[in-house]
Amino acid sequence: MATVTGEGTALRPDEVEAFFRDGYILVPSVLSAGEVEVYSRAVLDMMPRDLSVPGEWNANAGRFKPYRRGAGGVLDDCIDGPDLLPLLCNERLYQVAAQLLGSPCLRVFDGSVGVTMRNMSGPDHALSQNLHIDCSVPKDVDQFLGTPEELQVGGCYYLTDVEPGGGGIHVVPGGHRRVLEESASRPGGRHLYDDWKRLPPMETVEVTGRAGDFAVLHHLMPHAASHNRLPRARLAYFVRYIRCDHAHGGDPKSGPRRYNDAQLAVMSPLGRKLLGVEPW
Ligand SMILES: O=C(O)CCC(=O)C(=O)O
Ligand SMILES: [Fe+2]
């Protein structure tokens, strides 16, 4: 797996090549140790002290998706608080995304949290989700275009060290190319495997990393969460980028939203553009 080196710089040509060849790269140290401390605490503070899990939370195989309010909505985790919002406005991650997407004019979205606690059930290396893709291509589109305007790049910050077996996201090296090829070989290829939400088993690798790293995935990359076999909970925060001139008119989740004063106060000028508060 290629890792990205060079503090404060975007990717080298070979790193960009690795992303398009393998479908993913790990960008190390996007966050400082101090930032990791602040954001990991903010995530832990979302977990109820009495460990009662709200009904609207996603809770599967030791993996929890906490929401402060509502269920399933983008940015729900920070609707009434600004704690995690700066993670959507990170300058370095934006530079990486802009280089991969080939445009400086981007939208950012997602902003959800994943907490994976130790879970010893199932066979070794068990995935805790179906292999799937999370693409910004509407379901009424019958074929992927495979163009930069259709691309979405995104993935997760690790807010804890993720060692082997520690609940790292699993990916299929080169799998994004296999998805595109198989889809293109059949009419209505975008709809295969339940719109690519239930892929057949494929050989995967676990993306391990350190707290503060970001795993960037191509949007056609088959991936899945995995069981965490280790004592330390895996804390992750998900971020995705698309171009403003997105081939399908954007992702419904990337549209401009209303933000409260506390949220607006923590948005950098870059963040205001990425989040659609101000035009590019
Ligand atoms: O938590 C993970 O490692 C991956 C989660 C994921 O892919 C999803 O929820 O769509
Ligand atoms: Fe996913």
Side-chain angles (χ1 to χ4, degrees), residues 43 46 63-66 77 84 110-115 236-238:
V43 167
M46 295 172 85
R63 184 169 167 279
F64 301 88
K65 285 197 77 84
D77 57 300
L84 296 165
D110 203 334
S112 64
V113 168
V115 175
Y237 183 87
F238 294 84

Side-chain angles (χ1 to χ4, degrees), residues 182-243:
E182 189 173 351
S183 167
S185 73
R186 316 250 191 107
R190 194 260 177 269
H191 308 299
L192 291 173
Y193 308 115
D194 226 344
D195 295 314
W196 298 92
K197 285 296 181 193
R198 292 170 183 277
L199 275 73
M202 300 167 94
E203 197 164 326
T204 61
V205 299
E206 182 181 20
V207 181
T208 55
R210 308 276 302 185
D213 297 351
F214 191 96
V216 198
L217 275 56
H218 189 287
H219 72 139
L220 299 182
M221 167 56 71
H223 66 277
S226 67
H227 291 334
N228 181 359
R229 306 304 200 188
L230 303 179
R232 180 192 292 126
R234 185 212 67 165
L235 308 183
Y237 183 87
F238 294 84
V239 179
R240 307 171 199 211
Y241 301 87
I242 53 174
R243 290 166 53 136

Side-chain angles (χ1 to χ4, degrees), residues 69-85:
R69 182 189 296 175
V74 197
L75 299 184
D76 271 2
D77 57 300
C78 48
I79 266 179
D80 61 352
D83 316 1
L84 296 165
L85 198 56

